[in-house]
Amino acid sequence: MSLVFNEKKMPSKTHTLMDFLAKKTNEGKIAVEEEHVEEIQPSKVKTSRGEEVKDIPLSYLISATYDGERGAVCLKLYNETEQKIYLWYDNTDYKPYCLSDLPPEEVKEVPGIINHPGFQRLEIVEKYDSLNYRGKLMTKIVAKDPLSIGGRIGNSIRDILPKAWEADIKFHENYVFDRRLKVGMPYKVEDSKLIPVEYELPDEVLRIIKSIFKDEPEEYVEYVIRWLSLLELKVPKISRLAVDIEVAGEVITRVPNPKEAKDPIVAVSLIGSDGLRKVILLKRKGVEEGVEDVDAEIEYFDSEKELILKVFNYLEKYPFILTFNGDDFDLPYLYYRARRLGVEVDKIPIERGRDSTLIKNGVHIDLYKFFFNKSIQVYAFGQKYRENTLDEIGDALLGMGKVDIEIPISELTYMELAKYCLRDSEIVYGLTSMNNDLVMKLILVLARITSTPVEDLTRQGISNWIRNMMLYEHRVRGWLIPRKEDLLAIKGKITTKAIIEGKKYRGGEVITPKPGVHFNVAVLDFQSMYPSIVRQYNISYETLNCNHQECRSNIVPGTTHWICTKDRGLTSLLIGSLKDVRVKWYKPRSKDKSLSSEVREWYNVVQSSLKVILNASYGVFGAENFALYCPTVAEAITSIGRYVITRTVEKAESLGVEVIYGDTDSLFLKSPTKSQIEALMNWAEKELGMELDIDRIYRYVVLSSRKKNYLGVYQDGTVDVKGLTGKKRHIPDFIKDAFMEMMKILGSVNSFEDFEKAKESIIELYKESYNRIKRGNVPIDKLAFKVMLSRSPEGYVKTTPQHVKAALLLKQKGIDVRAGDIISFVKVATDPGVKPIQLIRSTSEIDTDKYIEYLESTFEQVLDALDIDLISMAGSRSLWSFMPSKKQ
DNA sequence: GCGGACTGCTTACCT
DNA sequence: ACAGGTAAGCAGTCCGCG
């Protein structure tokens, strides 16, 4: 079995919808692409100040929502000069709809459709059915309101229809897709009409692009240009306000219930991008002023209602409002508290949604949700933070610690309270202002790439972003969006077996490491391997197992799937062009010193955003929740990945290079010559169509027989540690510190001869650490294991791991523990074997033997690869132990 | 009733 | 609420043991 396709055999052009329809149906007229007729109605344009206007100057499209009262889509546009949000209500009479494969006559026969209270009309539309490779007439059922299509009551049109297409797309999303709106790009409104302000790429850029991609088909270059037209234009400076509230209750619960809102709001802090620093405090009996110096303007209110109205005033003044968990706490609390104090609903600028809380005439960004997003955590911030508390993220990203308070909020002095409250807003604002507003830019760039409104983007996961990007593309092409179950039934037969039980398909290949110390190691890797595979091997749900007889021999190795050799796949084109735009344009230019630092920085934002999308583009196809879930697509990608790496290993060996390790997309080569590396890279390019790069060169690498565990030392002595216990975050600092010391010693090793000295130093280090533990000479907090509680303690029903035991002990003491908390505990000799660090009274409780075991195994992971036997080298334990162990 | 061999659960990592 | 693959430690169970 072999892959017969390579780059040169790839189809150069995807047939347009027009081609397909002309070829495969006899319909002469195509209704799909028709723009919605703009019926100009009396102006429905409103500014954020509430007055109606007819025109909106150049402003950036930020968000789209649905206004139930007006029954229309509402667009939020941001004007940079005036620093305000303009609202524009759809006046084209755009209506919600879904599709049926039944002809109109039959739809009329379905009970409950045409007499549905929300029913408006039927239309015939022609779509391209990408699962069955033909044009298809569909009946469009148009409704008066979105709930009639997809309400949750059960008698919505999509539930009544035997089969409904495109019925799970929110009304405002449909609007963005169908109107081809470019989120994050400039628009203006003239005579109540929304007009895009086209951004033209400079000729110079066009010229360079055309030369970089001169060998690519025209259609491919069009995609590249499309991305650049979205990404070359910088985003506006976002004027914003960070808000945080404090509530004082008698009972201390972790988060007061906002729906009850029974305790008063005693402090609100505000930090604005215009320099505003303010804390608003509620005057209460018996509260002292306090002595702290607070770097903010302080305003007192005697009436809580007045205080809240003042806050509302600020919320309306700024176009963007930032909070941390404001969706579930701060904003709803303000809302319900205001209601409780008798504020009229229309005086409250806050809008409660099902899973969000928005600002009526502004844009609310809840940073909790955005920073919680795994893709953002991992790819944008390199896993610098692991907990999702404001303190932790602020500490990790800004070095801003929390203001410690040890007494309930109600007992703080005004100044203590102000300081405490202010800090949270400082962190929230700081998170968006660091690195020249990186986060704000990231949000807008991601919104542009994925056609996702900002208010959705900051609340949804990456699978939704990629979904939006792909649905938009379906609409552009006039493709019917496949129903999830049809996609799975037609394309979803998996043919590989996962190694891990319970997983759906086989993943990446890990090459068994050759244990020992290897000098002069080059690590080669396939840069963004999976996106490259998608691009080069034409991966897409519709190219997988296509309908052409002649493509059936184009087998994906290790599977029974074949890939189309005739038509370029939609996913392949989207992901492929995005990858190229990143690798060939934004990444090099983000480092190009001939460009201004401002431009470089912008290019860096764009390339990071692209990285976020690209890195997730494979995974989403294997995720059940993804709207275009297609595990066979994921399976094809990993299968080709294994094929690529395996063939490359064979080739390397045939070139006489020893491959000592490799994981998924990387190869560790032992002392290769320049020409061997070059030969391998050329071969990969030519035979596999894949770019192989030199990722890093190590002076030496220490391998054990364990996969995903190694230690690499660079020429300059820097040490890379991968997977070893000594670097895992949950292990005690004492052990981590000792491990790092060992790394320092290894970093100084230059030659094989140096190892002898290093071995001695390491043994000395080990002995010293051993004795410190035995003598009880280690501070307790350095002995704490810190393990994340992934569910609430009651959620562990099968086993009770140690950190859960510790958590339960905390709970017994009345300390609140919940999912996401990191439990600090030490190992003790008495009953359950563990004790939370808060409950430890003296070092004598510590189970020293357990710590010795841990120390030993941490060191052994490195030392057994160096062929050092810890016990024999260090001599028998009792000889150099100053304290007898407890069991002896 | 105890202990070793084994399996399964859980977390944290790698790409 | 993007994937699968790997290591490690512990919890819990099975089984033999006159």
Side-chain angles (χ1 to χ4, degrees):
Chain A
M1 258 190 295
S2 75
L3 281 175
V4 299
F5 45 84
N6 61 38
E7 196 178 5
K8 291 180 189 68
K9 288 180 191 161
M10 287 306 1
S12 59
K13 179 175 181 294
T14 297
H15 296 268
T16 62
L17 170 75
M18 207 67 99
D19 293 340
F20 279 118
L21 293 181
K23 213 160 43 184
K24 290 164 188 167
T25 72
N26 292 320
E27 300 297 320
K29 245 196 156 188
I30 296 150
V32 207
E33 286 301 302
E34 129 256 23
E35 277 286 316
H36 290 271
V37 186
E38 309 233 349
E39 291 168 34
I40 308 298
Q41 294 182 346
S43 167
K44 286 188 178 176
V45 183
K46 211 182 93 174
T47 70
S48 56
R49 305 258 151 65
E51 76 268 25
E52 304 269 332
V53 292
K54 258 191 130 188
D55 297 330
I56 297 177
L58 188 144
S59 301
Y60 292 82
L61 174 59
I62 301 297
S63 261
T65 52
Y66 173 62
D67 186 312
E69 274 169 47
R70 287 177 183 247
V73 167
C74 169
L75 300 183
K76 293 180 179 177
L77 299 133
Y78 172 61
N79 183 284
E80 189 180 12
T81 353
E82 299 169 66
Q83 302 193 358
K84 69 176 184 188
I85 295 287
Y86 281 98
L87 301 184
W88 182 81
Y89 293 91
D90 173 64
N91 51 20
T92 65
D93 205 28
Y94 180 85
K95 290 289 175 198
Y97 66 90
C98 67
L99 303 173
S100 166
D101 58 342
L102 300 174
E105 316 83 76
E106 284 178 44
V107 172
K108 284 178 193 160
E109 298 298 309
V110 178
I113 297 287
I114 56 168
N115 54 5
H116 191 285
F119 174 83
Q120 199 178 58
R121 62 175 191 274
L122 298 179
E123 285 174 20
I124 297 176
V125 291
E126 193 154 15
K127 291 272 180 181
Y128 173 68
D129 177 356
S130 53
L131 284 180
N132 298 299
Y133 309 97
R134 55 169 186 257
K136 191 170 179 172
L137 290 175
M138 304 290 291
T139 303
K140 184 173 182 176
I141 297 110
V142 182
K144 291 173 189 153
D145 60 288
L147 280 176
S148 299
I149 295 289
R152 291 194 297 171
I153 325 106
N155 70 341
S156 57
I157 289 172
R158 76 170 168 199
D159 294 335
I160 298 169
L161 284 171
K163 270 180 164 188
W165 274 260
E166 308 192 4
D168 302 326
I169 305 166
K170 288 194 192 77
F171 186 38
H172 73 269
E173 294 172 337
N174 262 326
Y175 191 78
V176 170
F177 304 153
D178 282 338
R179 295 288 309 268
R180 313 278 186 270
L181 296 185
K182 292 177 181 168
V183 181
M185 297 303 276
Y187 282 84
K188 60 184 177 179
V189 172
E190 280 171 7
D191 288 333
S192 304
K193 209 175 157 183
L194 184 74
I195 303 162
V197 179
E198 293 297 345
Y199 168 72
E200 299 263 334
L201 279 179
D203 287 344
E204 174 69 2
V205 172
L206 273 177
R207 196 183 55 75
I208 303 173
I209 285 301
K210 281 180 179 157
S211 98
I212 295 178
F213 295 100
K214 62 179 184 301
D215 296 330
E216 299 295 339
E218 200 180 313
E219 180 200 35
Y220 195 86
V221 181
E222 275 169 27
Y223 271 74
V224 170
I225 290 172
R226 197 169 116 196
W227 293 126
L228 256 72
S229 324
L230 283 178
L231 301 173
E232 281 297 288
L233 180 69
K234 288 189 193 155
V235 293
K237 179 114 183 96
I238 300 294
S239 161
R240 58 199 189 273
L241 177 73
V243 183
D244 183 66
I245 71 167
E246 303 299 335
V247 170
E250 319 239 303
V251 196
I252 309 149
T253 48
R254 214 152 132 166
V255 184
N257 182 344
K259 277 205 171 155
E260 289 171 11
K262 56 180 165 41
D263 297 313
I265 296 170
V266 292
V268 178
S269 61
L270 306 161
I271 301 241
S273 52
D274 54 356
L276 177 82
R277 295 174 66 84
K278 182 161 186 153
V279 182
I280 304 177
L281 293 166
L282 179 67
K283 274 275 181 207
R284 285 164 295 151
K285 278 196 199 104
V287 178
E288 287 179 31
E289 182 68 18
V291 292
E292 269 82 359
D293 202 17
V294 180
D295 178 21
E297 183 196 334
I298 309 278
E299 188 178 1
Y300 291 93
F301 277 86
D302 291 316
S303 139
E304 191 191 349
K305 186 174 171 183
E306 292 303 317
L307 181 150
I308 291 174
L309 290 174
K310 181 79 184 184
V311 173
F312 287 169
N313 205 278
Y314 276 104
L315 294 183
E316 285 178 319
K317 252 194 219 162
Y318 288 80
F320 287 77
I321 303 298
L322 310 171
T323 64
F324 195 84
N325 202 27
D327 267 352
D328 292 325
F329 180 66
D330 301 66
L331 294 190
Y333 204 97
L334 278 166
Y335 179 92
Y336 288 113
R337 191 67 190 166
R339 291 293 293 134
R340 209 180 151 114
L341 297 173
V343 181
E344 300 287 325
V345 177
D346 60 357
K347 294 272 187 307
I348 304 177
I350 296 165
E351 205 168 12
R352 290 282 291 137
R354 205 187 308 151
D355 34 35
S356 64
T357 310
L358 301 183
I359 299 282
K360 279 177 191 161
N361 298 331
V363 177
H364 170 219
I365 294 176
D366 183 342
L367 291 180
Y368 172 73
K369 287 191 176 153
F370 188 66
F371 279 89
F372 190 78
N373 189 308
K374 211 184 124 200
S375 294
I376 295 301
Q377 248 171 74
V378 175
Y379 299 116
F381 295 107
Q383 275 187 311
K384 283 201 187 117
Y385 59 94
R386 356 212 64 232
E387 282 173 273
N388 301 302
T389 62
L390 184 59
D391 295 326
E392 155 82 9
I393 299 175
D395 187 36
L397 264 29
L398 304 169
M400 250 190 214
K402 74 186 271 177
V403 174
D404 267 323
I405 50 162
E406 269 145 32
I407 49 172
I409 288 197
S410 54
E411 292 167 27
L412 294 175
T413 65
Y414 285 126
M415 288 307 115
E416 281 170 340
L417 176 61
K419 198 169 181 183
Y420 177 75
C421 182
L422 185 69
R423 176 48 58 97
D424 281 357
S425 282
E426 280 181 315
I427 299 176
V428 168
Y429 184 73
L431 288 175
T432 67
S433 66
M434 60 176 184
N435 303 336
N436 280 329
D437 292 0
L438 168 70
V439 166
M440 297 314 297
K441 292 172 183 167
L442 203 60
I443 288 171
L444 287 169
V445 170
L446 287 168
R448 282 184 185 171
I449 298 170
T450 62
S451 302
T452 305
V454 166
E455 283 167 314
D456 295 341
L457 185 118
T458 52
R459 288 171 176 78
Q460 298 173 346
I462 189 133
S463 65
N464 260 308
W465 307 351
I466 295 180
R467 160 200 184 255
N468 291 346
M469 181 173 90
M470 297 199 60
L471 295 203
Y472 189 97
E473 190 58 25
H474 276 72
R475 288 282 164 82
V476 168
R477 294 177 171 214
W479 284 21
L480 183 64
I481 293 157
R483 300 161 77 234
K484 254 186 108 165
E485 54 265 52
D486 294 344
L487 182 55
L488 197 59
I490 297 178
K491 300 286 184 174
K493 298 275 176 308
I494 291 166
T495 69
T496 59
K497 193 177 175 303
I499 288 174
I500 305 172
E501 205 183 335
K503 299 288 184 186
K504 289 163 291 200
Y505 58 89
R506 190 85 177 262
E509 183 76 17
V510 188
I511 296 158
T512 309
K514 294 187 178 159
V517 180
H518 307 271
F519 279 86
N520 188 17
V521 172
V523 181
L524 272 55
D525 73 349
F526 291 99
Q527 284 261 336
S528 34
M529 183 196 232
Y530 288 170
S532 299
I533 287 172
V534 169
R535 179 195 191 285
Q536 294 302 116
Y537 293 80
N538 199 24
I539 306 295
S540 198
Y541 73 84
E542 81 283 7
T543 53
L544 186 97
N545 300 335
C546 65
N547 62 336
H548 309 115
Q549 197 56 43
E550 54 274 44
C551 298
R552 285 176 178 253
S553 58
N554 190 29
I555 295 286
V556 175
T559 72
T560 55
H561 305 306
W562 64 91
I563 302 286
C564 188
T565 58
K566 293 182 177 301
D567 301 325
R568 185 76 193 240
L570 177 150
T571 314
S572 176
L573 202 45
L574 274 181
I575 300 301
S577 56
L578 276 177
K579 195 216 86 175
D580 278 349
V581 162
R582 172 167 187 260
V583 173
K584 297 193 174 162
W585 186 259
Y586 287 103
K587 220 180 161 192
R589 275 167 176 72
S590 71
K591 294 177 186 158
D592 186 342
K593 290 274 157 56
S594 71
L595 299 168
S596 75
S597 66
E598 213 182 319
V599 173
R600 281 207 308 274
E601 186 209 275
W602 171 248
Y603 281 6
N604 197 38
V605 171
V606 175
Q607 75 88 12
S608 311
S609 311
L610 289 168
K611 182 177 165 192
V612 169
I613 303 289
L614 290 168
N615 274 321
S617 64
Y618 137 77
V620 292
F621 284 101
E624 277 104 335
N625 300 332
F626 183 49
L628 297 170
Y629 171 55
C630 192
T632 43
V633 162
E635 179 187 37
I637 296 169
T638 58
S639 298
I640 295 172
R642 292 192 302 277
Y643 169 82
V644 162
I645 200 79
T646 314
R647 291 239 7 226
T648 311
V649 171
E650 288 164 9
K651 181 64 188 176
E653 282 165 351
S654 82
L655 288 167
V657 189
E658 193 185 352
V659 180
I660 54 169
Y661 179 58
D663 187 350
T664 311
D665 59 1
S666 67
L667 292 172
F668 287 52
L669 305 182
K670 182 162 181 168
S671 326
T673 64
K674 256 192 180 140
S675 67
Q676 283 171 321
I677 292 179
E678 240 162 62
L680 194 62
M681 296 197 324
N682 289 336
W683 173 87
E685 174 77 52
K686 200 164 157 247
E687 293 298 314
L688 303 170
M690 298 282 293
E691 197 189 330
L692 193 55
D693 293 333
I694 303 173
D695 188 51
R696 49 198 196 270
I697 307 248
Y698 289 124
R699 183 195 295 162
Y700 70 94
V701 170
V702 181
L703 295 177
S704 67
S705 57
R706 301 168 189 88
K707 294 169 171 179
K708 297 184 190 283
N709 269 257
Y710 64 84
L711 195 154
V713 181
Y714 290 97
Q715 210 50 54
D716 66 359
T718 327
V719 185
D720 261 353
V721 180
K722 298 289 176 184
L724 302 179
T725 304
K727 92 172 255 194
K728 297 205 174 178
R729 310 231 178 188
H730 72 281
I731 70 156
D733 284 346
F734 178 75
I735 292 177
K736 210 183 280 181
D737 292 347
F739 182 84
M740 286 311 165
E741 277 299 310
M742 173 160 62
M743 292 305 112
K744 244 194 216 162
I745 296 170
L746 289 169
S748 67
V749 171
N750 279 300
S751 64
F752 208 79
E753 291 71 46
D754 288 355
F755 265 113
E756 286 314 311
K757 254 197 280 165
K759 281 181 191 177
E760 271 171 42
S761 315
I762 291 171
I763 298 301
E764 275 314 303
L765 171 68
Y766 178 72
K767 283 184 189 173
E768 192 204 316
S769 309
Y770 179 102
N771 284 332
R772 282 191 61 196
I773 294 174
K774 278 287 184 192
R775 289 189 213 128
N777 239 343
V778 183
I780 289 187
D781 61 311
K782 291 250 178 211
L783 290 175
F785 287 85
K786 286 167 255 168
V787 180
M788 161 103 66
L789 202 60
S790 69
R791 4 186 158 129
S792 72
E794 299 73 40
Y796 294 84
V797 282
K798 287 171 178 149
T799 57
T800 312
Q802 295 193 322
H803 66 295
V804 180
K805 284 179 181 159
L808 287 167
L809 288 172
L810 283 175
K811 224 184 147 184
Q812 256 177 38
K813 295 275 170 190
I815 300 169
D816 195 13
V817 282
R818 57 177 67 196
D821 287 354
I822 292 199
I823 307 294
S824 292
F825 64 91
V826 292
K827 308 218 180 198
V828 293
T830 53
D831 193 29
V834 292
K835 214 170 188 184
I837 192 143
Q838 296 94 316
L839 306 182
I840 288 283
R841 292 283 157 259
S842 118
T843 37
S844 62
E845 294 183 67
I846 304 291
D847 183 350
T848 51
D849 284 353
K850 275 273 178 260
Y851 284 90
I852 296 292
E853 270 177 43
Y854 239 95
L855 183 73
E856 196 178 300
S857 73
T858 305
F859 269 63
E860 263 178 354
Q861 269 191 358
V862 177
L863 297 187
D864 69 353
L866 297 178
D867 218 19
I868 304 176
D869 182 348
L870 199 55
I871 308 302
S872 71
M873 288 296 289
S876 110
R877 286 182 192 183
S878 55
L879 281 179
W880 39 275
S881 154
F882 293 89
M883 299 256 291
S885 91
K886 278 181 194 162
K887 281 182 188 163
Q888 282 164 2

